Amino acid sequence: MTGQRNTTIFRNVRPMGGEPIDLTVVDGVVATEARGPVEEVDCGGGVALPTLVDAHIHPDKTTWGEPWYSRRAARGIAELGEQDAEVFRNMPTPVSVRSGRLMGHAVTRGTRAMRAHADIAPAYGLEGLLGVREAAASLSHALDVRIVAFPQHGVRRAPGTDALMEEALRTGAADLIGGIDPEGFDEDLDGQLDLVFGLADRYRVGVDIHLHDRGPVGSRSLWAIIERTRALDMGGSVTVSHAFGVAEVDEGFDALASALGEAGIALTTIAPDPARVLPVARLREHGVRVGVGSDGVRDAWSPFGDADMLHRAHRLATTLRARLDEQLSDAFLTAANDGAALVDLPQVDFTPGSPADFLVVDGECLPQIVVDLPPRRLVVRAGRVVARDGVLV
């Protein structure tokens, strides 16, 4: 005897902007026919698109929902990290609440998953990371969260961080281990990378390293990461976030991109500006996966950000100077499909067996939606409506 199946039929919906259909979902995946009791949701002719993946966000740092925080001038990563610690000490609201607010908001805008970097340092211990873990648990019905133990203050520069990194993995508080500018900031290229990759190998987790460094320093770091990824056979488990130096490589780009692709190293971009955005199409030609992320949202580093990945797809298209329909669509699909691959989730294509993870908006077609950024009418996760008109349900 089989258990009862849960069926929802989404009436009058247009997957990817096509013709209106009734989309049948059984037990969280697209199906060809209804089974068991049926619930119906009227989509009113709206366009259904895959929900998106925020491949790089720092929810532990956010002041989202708090009184206005006035930032001070800062010179470089070290001083910004000091201001992060001040926010942590002085905000009356705990990380679990602040990060939960932001993550819930992201769901209402159509985010299905995120890779969340949480600072670990002697200034915090694991408190920020555990706060993000608590927030993620409360939203597990609507959002997949993979948490990176991130040494924002450096490893050599902040003694004791190495022990915290291992504790985060040993206790299962973190899903991946992070690093930051091992040469340019931490001034210990081999020491930091040996620690990070050694922990990843010992605990069988992925790696996600922030690399803001450009020029020769950035290039040395990238090749050192490639070398360790190959040596430990960690292809598919290593990501370099930002990788600003890749965007400026002209002579030698193909060799670097080919090495990244062959090693199975992914990159993420926040599309900050035309000079530093990753050349997604050129990297994809070499087999390099590129995810898109929000980075910090209203934190000590910046008053800006909204954790809306449709906005970020728009920004990616803008910084890549997209003009053609296929270029505009590709910016969205990079954030949706390539992001899903980066966090090991199946893509959404609305065919039978596809996850029923989608958002519904009013619009004509995908390129127009990327440009106009319409409100999200519905957000659906595993066949359940989890947000309606910008509000969690």
Side-chain angles (χ1 to χ4, degrees):
M1 181 177 179
T2 59
Q4 181 171 287
R5 314 304 289 269
N6 298 309
T7 297
T8 304
I9 299 178
F10 294 87
R11 301 285 187 193
N12 191 20
V13 68
R14 299 167 52 217
M16 304 304 296
E19 293 299 315
I21 65 168
D22 292 338
L23 184 71
T24 300
V25 174
V26 178
D27 292 344
V29 299
V30 176
T32 55
E33 59 182 21
R35 301 177 69 177
V38 174
E39 178 184 355
E40 297 187 1
V41 177
D42 182 11
C43 295
V47 175
L49 301 172
T51 39
L52 298 133
V53 174
D54 194 328
H56 182 117
I57 187 170
H58 294 264
D60 63 313
K61 300 174 184 282
T62 192
T63 65
W64 188 267
E66 297 295 301
W68 181 252
Y69 168 75
S70 296
R71 291 144 189 90
R72 304 190 313 278
R75 294 172 298 180
I77 291 173
E79 291 188 9
L80 288 164
E82 291 172 4
Q83 292 188 32
D84 283 334
E86 290 177 18
V87 169
F88 178 83
R89 288 193 302 267
N90 296 328
M91 280 289 155
T93 308
V95 170
S96 60
V97 176
R98 287 187 282 116
S99 61
R101 282 195 203 120
L102 180 63
M103 293 154 70
H105 171 79
V107 170
T108 70
R109 268 50 186 176
T111 294
R112 72 189 283 219
M114 58 175 54
R115 181 174 286 178
H117 297 262
D119 287 4
I120 56 169
Y124 322 104
L126 300 184
E127 190 173 341
L129 187 151
L130 294 173
V132 173
R133 176 67 71 190
E134 183 179 342
S138 70
L139 289 165
S140 60
H141 66 288
L143 183 69
D144 275 15
V145 182
R146 316 289 165 84
I147 302 176
V148 183
F150 175 52
Q152 176 70 79
H153 296 183
V155 180
R156 185 196 65 80
R157 293 172 64 108
T161 300
D162 53 352
L164 290 169
M165 294 166 74
E166 180 151 20
E167 184 182 355
L169 296 179
R170 179 180 55 79
T171 60
D175 304 303
L176 300 94
I177 193 70
I180 181 169
D181 295 317
E183 181 176 347
F185 176 61
D186 217 20
E187 299 177 341
D188 189 10
L189 175 63
D190 289 330
Q192 188 189 123
L193 291 182
D194 286 348
L195 171 70
V196 168
F197 278 88
L199 288 172
D201 184 47
R202 188 179 316 150
Y203 290 96
R204 313 309 300 168
V205 298
V207 168
D208 194 321
I209 296 178
H210 287 48
L211 189 61
H212 310 90
D213 287 332
R214 302 160 78 171
V217 174
S219 180
R220 279 195 296 273
S221 297
L222 281 167
W223 284 104
I225 291 167
I226 291 168
E227 178 186 356
R228 285 163 174 80
T229 303
R230 288 170 170 165
L232 294 173
D233 194 22
M234 289 185 61
S237 300
V238 176
T239 302
V240 180
S241 292
H242 300 306
F244 291 148
V246 172
E248 69 183 11
V249 173
D250 186 13
E251 189 173 333
F253 175 87
D254 289 334
L256 175 60
S258 178
L260 289 167
E262 290 171 3
I265 296 172
L267 306 178
T268 64
T269 184
I270 61 170
D273 52 56
R276 293 181 296 169
V277 65
L278 292 174
V280 176
R282 291 182 67 195
L283 287 164
R284 192 180 290 132
E285 290 174 0
H286 292 277
V288 181
R289 296 171 297 158
V290 180
V292 187
S294 295
D295 204 12
V297 178
R298 297 192 191 179
D299 56 16
W301 292 54
S302 172
F304 297 104
D306 59 7
D308 186 331
M309 286 304 297
L310 181 55
H311 285 190
R312 192 60 57 163
H314 173 104
R315 182 165 175 165
L316 179 65
T318 302
T319 56
L320 289 173
R321 298 185 173 93
R323 175 173 171 269
L324 304 179
D325 281 4
E326 55 266 33
Q327 295 169 327
L328 293 165
S329 296
D330 187 67
F332 180 93
L333 295 173
T334 298
N337 294 343
D338 293 2
L342 195 144
V343 298
D344 299 319
L345 287 178
Q347 292 185 10
V348 176
D349 62 9
F350 299 101
T351 60
S354 166
D357 295 351
F358 58 91
L359 56 91
V360 178
V361 296
D362 292 327
E364 298 177 53
C365 58
L366 179 53
Q368 174 262 324
I369 290 165
V370 170
V371 170
D372 286 348
L373 303 174
R376 282 15 67 93
R377 287 174 48 190
L378 296 174
V379 179
V380 177
R381 180 65 198 277
R384 296 176 53 198
V385 175
V386 294
R388 189 184 298 270
D389 296 324
V391 179
L392 288 172
V393 298

